[in-house]
Amino acid sequence: MITVRPAVAADLPALLALYGELNPDDAPLPEAGADAVWEAMSTQRGRTVLVADADGTVAGTADCLVMPNLTRGGRAILFVENVVVAGAFQRRGVGRRLMEAAVGVGEAAGCYKVQLLAADDAYVHTFYEACGFRARAKGFRRYVPEEHGR
C-alpha cells in the first residue's frame, strides 16, 4: 500500500538516498550540512516535502512550495521540485500518487496553478501529461556558480 504524507526528520536519510538517484553526480551532503538544510526546509512557511511511503519504505518524494502572489486575485502558486521515485518502485503508481498529493497541497492553499519544470525527456513529459499537466510555457534556467550560491 502506498500512502503520501509530509516528510519528517526521520525520513532525511531516505530523502538523501532518493536525491542521490535523482542527481548521481552530486557529492553527498555531510550529515551536519544535511541536518541544517532540513531544519531550514522543514520550518519554511508554505513548504511541504511529501514522501510516498510503500509499506514503511520511502519510495518517492516531491518538494512543494506555496508562493504568495499579488496577481490572480492574490491567489498563490505551488511550485513542485525534486520529484523522484526510487528505481525499485517506478511504474507502480508512486509518482502519480505524489503528483495527486502535490496538487492537493496547492488546492488546500488556494493556489491558482501548480507549476514545475521537467527534464528534457520524453518519458518524463509523458508522465506529467498523464498526471494532467500541460506544457504551457517555455522554461529558462540560469545556474549560479557555486561560489556565488552560498
Side-chain angles (χ1 to χ4, degrees):
M1 181 166 143
I2 299 165
T3 57
V4 177
R5 60 174 172 77
V8 295
D11 295 318
L12 185 55
L15 288 170
L16 293 173
L18 286 169
Y19 296 146
E21 287 191 41
L22 180 66
N23 297 303
D25 295 335
D26 284 0
L29 280 175
E31 187 176 337
D35 289 343
V37 172
W38 174 254
E39 177 64 22
M41 289 172 62
S42 64
T43 59
Q44 184 177 6
R45 185 175 176 192
R47 185 102 178 243
T48 305
V49 178
L50 297 171
V51 293
D53 187 305
D55 297 320
T57 300
V58 174
T61 186
D63 190 351
C64 303
L65 178 64
V66 175
M67 185 179 85
N69 178 37
L70 289 172
T71 67
R72 302 292 180 156
R75 293 178 68 199
I77 302 164
L78 181 79
F79 288 92
V80 180
E81 267 291 325
N82 296 329
V83 176
V84 58
V85 174
F89 289 93
Q90 290 181 359
R91 303 195 63 81
R92 294 162 103 183
V94 173
R96 182 177 294 278
R97 296 288 301 274
L98 280 166
M99 296 315 299
E100 289 169 354
V103 170
V105 168
E107 289 173 344
C111 295
Y112 83 95
K113 71 178 175 181
V114 176
Q115 185 163 301
L116 56 84
L117 292 173
D120 192 15
D121 177 305
Y123 174 80
V124 172
H125 293 187
T126 300
F127 166 73
Y128 285 121
E129 288 169 357
C131 291
F133 289 81
R134 300 291 172 254
R136 299 285 179 131
K138 183 171 183 163
F140 294 89
R141 288 184 188 149
R142 180 175 171 176
Y143 289 99
V144 179
E146 189 169 332
E147 61 272 12
H148 294 262
R150 300 211 183 255

